[in-house]
Every structure is written in structure tokens, then in C-alpha cells.
């Protein structure tokens, strides 16, 4: 599994959330992480969700893969918490 080729984007339907997709074979798996979770996992407040995601992309994607392997995509989306973002 890995990050898909689709660009991450701010989720207009969930304020403060960023969405991105990972792949499971040929299946795209939608993922969502909130700004607060990113700040909790990666240090003091600074920047928006997209800035933090780009700075810690590998850790966020690894967290999404671990969460997906453990719990699947509940409701069709892997929703990450700060705890998911640290190994």
C-alpha cells in the first residue's frame, strides 16, 4: 500500500480536515485527518493542515496504512487520530 497519485486536498465538507487516498492493490482508499490531530502528533501549532501534511507526509501515510490494515475503512473512509500518526 502507498499514497495514491491523487493530490491531497482540504475537505470542504469537514472543516479543518484534509483528505487523501492510499491504494490497496487497485482500490483507492479515502483517508481523512483533522488539523488538530496533525498538530497533536507533530508538535506546536503552526501552519494549516496541508502544510503540516506535506512536512510529515510519510508518517501520515504510514499511519493511514496501519489504521486501514487494523480496522479497514469504517464508513468507507479511514479517519485518523493523533494516536494513529505515531508508531
Amino acid at each position: 500500500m502507498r499514497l495514491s497519485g491523487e493530490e491531497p486536498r482540504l475537505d470542504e465538507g469537514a472543516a479543518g480536515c484534509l483528505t487523501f487516498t492510499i491504494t490497496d492493490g487497485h482500490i483507492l482508499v479515502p483517508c481523512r485527518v483533522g488539523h488538530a490531530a496533525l498538530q497533536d502528533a507533530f508538535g506546536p501549532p503552526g501552519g494549516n493542515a496541508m502544510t503540516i501534511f506535506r512536512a510529515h507526509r510519510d508518517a501520515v501515510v504510514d499511519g493511514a496504512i496501519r489504521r486501514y490494515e487494523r480496522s479497514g475503512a469504517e464508513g468507507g473512509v479511514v479517519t485518523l487520530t493523533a494516536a494513529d500518526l505515531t508508531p
Side-chain angles (χ1 to χ4, degrees):
M1 282 188 264
R2 62 182 177 81
L3 183 66
S4 77
E6 292 183 9
E7 284 296 313
R9 64 190 180 286
L10 294 175
D11 187 344
E12 295 177 16
C17 287
L18 178 119
T19 60
F20 60 98
T21 54
I22 57 175
T23 61
D24 182 4
H26 295 291
I27 300 169
L28 288 177
V29 180
C31 302
R32 177 183 302 134
V33 62
H35 185 240
L38 290 166
Q39 285 184 330
D40 289 349
F42 300 115
N48 64 26
M50 186 66 74
T51 301
I52 299 169
F53 175 83
R54 287 186 174 138
H56 301 281
R57 178 188 334 251
D58 291 342
V60 176
V61 172
D62 289 347
I65 291 168
R66 285 191 305 271
R67 176 75 181 241
Y68 178 69
E69 288 175 338
R70 186 175 63 247
S71 305
E74 299 167 11
V77 177
V78 175
T79 302
L80 301 170
T81 66
D84 295 315
L85 301 176
T86 54

